[in-house]
């Protein structure tokens, strides 16, 4: 008897599930989504903070129950070039509210979009940005938990280079709401610029929905670039100055907020990473490490507490890049001058030596020739424990030099060395000019 009742109960449950499924299928088949067109357009307009247009609306089973908005466009604003177009934008909806005649969104999937992000346009003023930070973000306000881009093309318009956008191809992007204003970010794709492509992975946490304002708020980001050609960053450097070359894997971490600055750490790995200068032997850059405090602003980048560890030595100081000009100060330590073999003056061969130096650079255009850079450079230099020879002359040892640099002129304040068993000393000056070097010495 119990077995018969169990079979009857099972048949009733199957029948109920079948009728429920049939009813749901009939409901979805007869659902007129155009009734919700204005509601959906309003939600998306709040999310993107501008009008949203799409040609048609239909149900889809893309992964799960979704509303398919076709031929969608988010147009640019008058003062910004941000824009989004896509053939399909899928809205993942909650089923129970839909049965009650309400639209409740939980996820957005944007399939193969063409997205332009304008990082060159001015961001909001500090007070306006702070006021916005205190309120809920558009993403949080809509109740949407995640926005994804699948196989998209993203164009980044950079300050001063809006006519040469940085392209991301095959881009997969996920932005998910966490707590408060924070969003969890994951971006992968191919970085495309001129003739190179580099796989990129960006992960971390940002605040706010607008990418143009991520670096005006607290952020924590990790970036990995693979197969990145250093030639791409040396395009504006004068050809008579050292230029980076080779292919690297670049790992960068950024954490902080705009008022106190962002702590940046970076490592470079690449067996052929180097600095090239004319016919000089290349200087290796494999293993380069950088740490700094970065203060970004529109049209100006300021770097403090800079520490750059190279295979040849260490550079520390501060820099300011503004409208294509560079200024700053630096302290250089090279514990073994033989690591610079090939970059020393022609005819000079060193077996030992240590160098410390301090430099100050006036604002100089990146494209300026080397003579202008020398004119804008001042500082002091000390070399100790020098040993080696000049051309075919007998070798020297236990040498030391103290010199000053000002506007292309080198002043030899003090020099001493052991030569042919005797202590020698000298003073003098060296003027670097286009017509040649002018040397004056006093023994």
């Amino acid at each position: 008897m119990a077995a018969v009742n169990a079979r009857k109960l099972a048949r009733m449950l199957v029948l109920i599930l079948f009728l429920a499924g049939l009813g749901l299928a009939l409901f979805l088949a007869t659902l007129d989504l155009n009734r919700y067109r204005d509601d959906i357009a309003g939600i998306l307009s709040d999310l993107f903070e501008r009008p949203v247009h799409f040609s048609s609306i239909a149900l889809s089973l893309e992964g799960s129950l979704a509303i398919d908005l076709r031929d969608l466009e988010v147009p640019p604003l008058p003062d910004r070039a941000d824009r989004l177009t896509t053939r399909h934008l899928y809205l993942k909806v909650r089923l129970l509210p839909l049965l009650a005649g309400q639209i409740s969104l939980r996820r957005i999937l944007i399939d193969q979009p063409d997205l332009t992000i304008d990082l060159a346009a001015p961001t909001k003023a500090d007070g306006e940005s702070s006021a916005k930070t205190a309120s809920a973000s558009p993403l949080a306000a809509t109740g949407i938990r995640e926005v994804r881009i699948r196989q998209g093309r993203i164009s980044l318009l950079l300050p001063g280079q809006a006519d040469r956008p940085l392209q991301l191809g095959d881009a997969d992007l996920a932005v998910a709401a966490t707590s408060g204003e924070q969003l969890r970010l994951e971006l992968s794709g191919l970085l495309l610029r001129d003739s190179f492509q580099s796989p990129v992975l960006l992960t971390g946490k940002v605040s706010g929905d607008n990418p143009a304002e991520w670096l005006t708020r607290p952020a924590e980001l990790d970036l990995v670039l693979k197969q990145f050609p250093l030639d791409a960053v040396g395009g504006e450097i004068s050809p008579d100055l050292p230029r980076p070359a080779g292919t690297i894997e670049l790992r960068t971490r950024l954490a902080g907020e705009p008022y106190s600055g962002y702590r940046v750490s970076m490592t470079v790995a690449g067996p052929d990473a180097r600095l090239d200068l004319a016919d000089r032997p290349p200087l290796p850059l494999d293993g380069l490490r950088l740490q700094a405090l970065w203060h970004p602003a529109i049209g100006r980048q300021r770097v403090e507490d800079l520490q750059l560890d190279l295979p040849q030595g260490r550079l520390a100081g501060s820099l300011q890049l503004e409208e294509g000009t560079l200024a700053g100060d630096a302290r250089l330590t090279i514990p073994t001058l033989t690591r610079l073999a090939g970059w020393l003056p022609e005819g000079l061969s060193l077996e030992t030596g240590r160098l410390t130096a301090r430099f100050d650079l006036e604002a100089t255009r990146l494209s300026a020739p080397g003579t202008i850079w020398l004119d804008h450079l001042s500082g002091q230099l000390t070399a100790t424990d020098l040993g080696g020879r000049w051309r075919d002359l007998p070798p020297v040892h236990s040498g030391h030099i103290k010199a000053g640099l000002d506007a292309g002129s080198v002043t030899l304040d003090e020099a001493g060395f052991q030569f042919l068993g005797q202590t020698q000393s000298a003073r003098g000056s060296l003027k670097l000019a286009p017509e040649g070097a002018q040397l004056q010495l006093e023994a």
Side-chain angles (χ1 to χ4, degrees):
M1 188 68 177
V4 173
N5 289 335
R7 285 195 295 271
K8 289 183 178 180
L9 181 60
R11 285 196 292 268
M12 289 181 62
L13 289 175
V14 170
L15 180 60
I16 291 172
L17 291 175
F18 173 76
L19 293 175
L22 180 62
L24 178 61
L26 291 173
F27 171 77
L28 294 177
T30 58
L31 180 64
D32 182 13
L33 288 175
N34 284 300
R35 292 172 46 202
Y36 307 101
R37 187 184 184 100
D38 291 341
D39 292 338
I40 291 173
I43 293 173
L44 293 180
S45 296
D46 289 343
L47 176 63
F48 293 110
E49 297 182 308
R50 66 193 71 186
V52 174
H53 310 289
F54 50 91
S55 64
S56 62
I57 181 171
L59 280 176
S60 170
L61 294 177
E62 178 63 34
S64 61
L65 183 63
I67 296 174
D68 180 9
L69 307 182
R70 296 172 182 171
D71 300 322
L72 180 136
E73 179 185 13
V74 181
L77 293 175
D79 58 341
R80 299 190 62 87
D82 304 283
R83 182 175 182 173
L84 170 68
T85 58
T86 181
R87 293 289 304 276
H88 297 278
L89 184 145
Y90 299 102
L91 303 174
K92 305 295 183 176
V93 297
R94 295 177 175 88
L95 182 58
L96 292 180
L98 185 63
L99 294 175
Q102 299 175 348
I103 293 292
S104 179
L105 306 182
R106 56 189 180 89
R107 291 177 58 225
I108 293 179
L109 174 61
I110 310 173
D111 189 44
Q112 300 181 30
D114 194 337
L115 171 65
T116 298
I117 300 175
D118 189 356
L119 301 178
T123 56
K124 293 181 172 57
D126 290 342
E128 196 174 348
S129 179
S130 299
K132 184 178 176 182
T133 302
S135 62
S137 73
L139 183 63
T142 59
I144 299 170
R145 302 303 300 170
E146 184 181 58
V147 176
R148 282 188 173 270
I149 286 177
R150 181 172 63 189
Q151 294 295 290
R153 182 175 64 182
I154 302 176
S155 299
L156 301 176
L157 306 184
L158 304 177
Q161 301 184 43
D163 58 335
R164 294 181 62 239
L166 197 63
Q167 302 279 351
L168 281 175
D170 298 332
D172 292 326
L173 170 67
V175 179
T178 55
S179 58
E181 276 282 303
Q182 282 206 319
L183 302 174
R184 187 176 67 253
L185 171 72
E186 182 172 337
L187 169 67
S188 63
L190 284 175
L191 181 64
L192 308 173
R193 187 71 177 267
D194 299 330
S195 60
F196 79 86
Q197 59 181 30
S198 174
V200 59
L201 176 63
L202 177 67
T203 59
K205 293 181 180 179
V206 294
S207 299
D209 305 308
N210 187 348
E213 297 180 4
W214 282 347
L215 291 182
T216 65
R217 303 183 184 186
E220 183 178 325
L221 294 169
D222 291 280
L223 171 69
V224 179
L225 277 175
K226 296 184 176 181
Q227 303 169 22
F228 181 75
L230 284 175
D231 315 64
V233 300
E236 296 186 18
I237 299 177
S238 174
D240 56 351
L241 292 175
R243 297 165 68 92
T247 303
I248 63 168
E249 178 176 297
L250 177 71
R251 293 183 176 270
T252 303
R253 178 170 178 78
L254 177 147
E257 50 90 20
Y259 301 105
S260 60
Y262 297 93
R263 281 286 169 191
V264 179
S265 61
M266 182 179 72
T267 59
V268 168
D272 66 338
R274 63 193 187 276
L275 279 179
D276 287 338
L277 177 62
D279 57 351
R280 304 273 184 171
L283 277 183
L285 296 179
D286 185 22
L288 179 150
R289 298 190 306 275
L290 179 144
Q291 296 183 19
L293 182 63
W294 176 40
H295 298 272
I298 296 296
R300 184 184 66 208
Q301 310 295 322
R302 183 162 52 93
V303 177
E304 299 176 341
D305 299 339
L306 172 66
Q307 181 173 304
L308 179 63
D309 290 305
L310 297 157
Q312 298 79 23
R314 170 174 292 180
L315 183 71
S318 63
L319 297 171
Q320 180 167 303
L321 180 64
E322 184 171 4
E323 297 181 350
T325 65
L326 181 68
D329 61 87
R331 299 176 304 279
L332 175 65
T333 302
I334 301 178
T336 307
L337 278 171
T338 54
R339 296 176 182 174
L340 294 179
W343 284 57
L344 299 172
E346 187 177 354
L348 177 60
S349 174
L350 289 181
E351 297 176 359
T352 61
R354 173 185 172 85
L355 176 70
T356 59
R358 178 186 60 79
F359 299 106
D360 294 288
L361 176 67
E362 299 177 12
T364 306
R365 294 205 65 82
L366 292 174
S367 57
T371 52
I372 300 298
W373 285 80
L374 284 174
D375 285 342
H376 290 182
L377 195 63
S378 62
Q380 293 182 331
L381 176 149
T382 301
T384 57
D385 193 28
L386 294 172
R389 66 172 65 236
W390 175 261
R391 298 191 185 278
D392 295 329
L393 294 177
V396 302
H397 58 89
S398 301
H400 67 277
I401 293 175
K402 289 185 179 180
L405 175 64
D406 185 24
S409 295
V410 179
T411 302
L412 187 60
D413 299 322
E414 180 182 337
F417 48 88
Q418 292 289 324
F419 180 66
L420 296 176
Q422 294 184 354
T423 300
Q424 307 289 337
S425 62
R427 295 175 182 273
S429 64
L430 176 65
K431 174 65 176 177
L432 302 175
E435 60 272 13
Q438 301 172 6
L439 176 64
Q440 292 182 347
L441 285 178
E442 298 177 9

